[in-house]
Amino acid sequence: MTIHAHLDTFHGLPVRSVDLDLDPATSSAAPDTVAWRVEAAPYDEDEPTLQQSFEELLGRVDPAGIRALVIGWWGPGWDGMRGDIPVRMLADAAGRLPALEAIFLGDIVMEESEISWIEQDDITPLLDAYPRLRRLEVRGGTGLHLRPVTHAALEVLRFETGGLPASVVRAVGESSLPALRHLELWLGTTNYSGDSRPADWAGVLDGSGLPALRHLGLQDSEIQDEVCAAVAAAPIVARLESLNLSMGVLTDTGAEALLSGQPLTHLTSLDLSHHYLSGPMIERLRAALPGVELDLSDRQQVRGNDWRYVAVSE
């Protein structure tokens, strides 16, 4: 899977950029009706920087009404993808954005940068600066850091990566996120810093810091069979409504672990798409989970030399 298109919607709102060519009095929607997108021009140092584009937005739109922000390219230039730039910019502006409740950090598509080339940084300052933030989504795992936090308002946390560092996974599991209902982790491959293992997932799967969680995604892993084995005995699963184990190297071994583990019949949906399951195993899963919306699409074929791959890596 390759990400070619920028977000059209975010946080239930249409994504919109300020049109710099129009009069400020007529060019802006009501600030709380759209998710505002800001970015620098890729590879063009003569165009406005991310900070300049951000200040332009805040000058044309009442910052006090902004509910959602989508941060695109923060270059400029090949050497300019420093992940501290957007984090510092947003954290410093917290006092001007009292209504901000959703941030997408890194709406950067393949034509601008491969997902694993996106340079992130420590995103903890965003959670510290915005105690009322309800949604945080991050694309890109290189250089990504997170410290264990307590955040009372966060409901959605997503990491889209070709490799999610084990330290970030552990930090999520060590955090106290009492309102979090949706957690999605694209674990990725070791080639792109996706070095987490079962011990690193333990805090998430125990769920003691995630009492409201109803959707869990542990996806895109080259060891998806091990993910499934851990999930099969995880305390958190009994209170989930939906489970996403898609995008990874899932074989009959992982599916057998799911079938042999705790019951999954309480789930409304189970996503196992992008998999390497045999025909008989697919039928066993369907027979065992008749009331569950089961996604077994995108069946993969083993390539030469027994080569299997995740959906998103580089």
Side-chain angles (χ1 to χ4, degrees):
M1 182 177 75
T2 303
I3 300 171
H4 285 288
H6 291 126
L7 295 176
D8 292 323
T9 62
F10 176 60
H11 197 50
L13 301 169
V15 175
R16 176 171 176 175
S17 300
V18 170
D19 191 336
L20 302 182
D21 295 326
L22 297 180
D23 186 287
T26 61
S27 64
S28 297
D32 61 347
T33 61
V34 300
W36 295 100
R37 189 174 195 278
V38 294
E39 64 179 338
Y43 317 122
D44 191 343
E45 296 185 3
D46 295 327
E47 293 296 320
T49 65
L50 179 69
Q51 183 74 53
Q52 290 168 336
S53 296
F54 184 57
E55 292 300 328
E56 183 72 30
L57 169 66
L58 300 189
R60 288 175 175 252
V61 173
D62 180 7
I66 294 176
R67 294 173 53 207
L69 285 172
V70 175
I71 309 300
W73 179 268
W74 52 80
W78 288 103
D79 298 325
M81 283 297 288
R82 284 176 36 219
D84 65 311
I85 293 174
V87 172
R88 186 177 64 250
M89 178 188 77
L90 291 173
D92 289 348
R96 304 161 69 186
L97 298 164
L100 187 65
E101 57 188 30
I103 298 171
F104 191 103
L105 186 63
D107 183 25
I108 297 167
V109 298
M110 191 195 74
E111 289 75 13
E112 296 166 335
S113 174
E114 298 284 359
I115 190 170
S116 293
W117 300 355
I118 300 172
E119 291 283 346
Q120 293 287 357
D121 200 75
D122 186 354
I123 61 167
T124 315
L126 295 179
L127 295 169
D128 292 338
Y130 294 95
R132 287 177 287 184
L133 196 70
R134 293 173 52 200
R135 178 185 294 262
L136 177 60
E137 303 190 27
V138 180
R139 180 176 295 161
T142 299
L144 183 65
H145 294 281
L146 176 69
R147 287 172 275 120
V149 296
T150 296
H151 196 287
L154 196 68
E155 298 173 2
V156 177
L157 180 61
R158 296 183 64 251
F159 292 99
E160 298 181 359
T161 78
L164 187 61
S167 60
V168 175
V169 180
R170 290 195 303 272
V172 173
E174 294 167 7
S175 294
S176 177
L177 304 171
L180 196 73
R181 293 183 58 84
H182 183 112
L183 175 63
E184 190 172 319
L185 308 176
W186 294 15
L187 300 174
T189 75
T190 53
N191 287 339
Y192 298 102
S193 303
D195 57 351
S196 70
R197 291 297 181 266
D200 304 305
W201 315 325
V204 170
L205 295 177
D206 173 74
S208 57
L210 309 170
L213 199 71
R214 295 298 177 265
H215 173 87
L216 175 62
L218 293 175
Q219 303 163 231
D220 197 50
S221 177
E222 62 187 350
I223 54 170
Q224 200 73 42
D225 288 347
E226 292 185 43
V227 172
C228 289
V231 165
I236 201 170
V237 171
R239 50 187 163 87
L240 295 179
E241 296 173 357
S242 54
L243 179 61
N244 193 329
L245 303 172
S246 67
M247 302 169 61
V249 181
L250 174 63
T251 73
D252 285 8
T253 300
E256 184 67 51
L258 290 176
L259 291 173
S260 302
Q262 64 187 300
L264 300 176
T265 51
H266 67 287
L267 296 174
T268 59
S269 65
L270 173 61
D271 191 341
L272 301 177
S273 58
H274 184 98
H275 60 84
Y276 293 84
L277 301 177
S278 67
M281 180 56 75
I282 290 173
E283 294 308 312
R284 284 184 61 194
L285 285 164
R286 287 175 174 156
L289 301 168
V292 179
E293 181 182 339
L294 188 59
D295 190 342
L296 289 163
S297 62
D298 198 17
R299 184 182 180 187
Q300 301 295 307
Q301 300 297 320
V302 178
R303 304 294 179 87
N305 298 320
D306 201 32
W307 180 41
R308 296 175 173 87
Y309 58 94
V310 300
V312 175
S313 54
E314 186 175 52

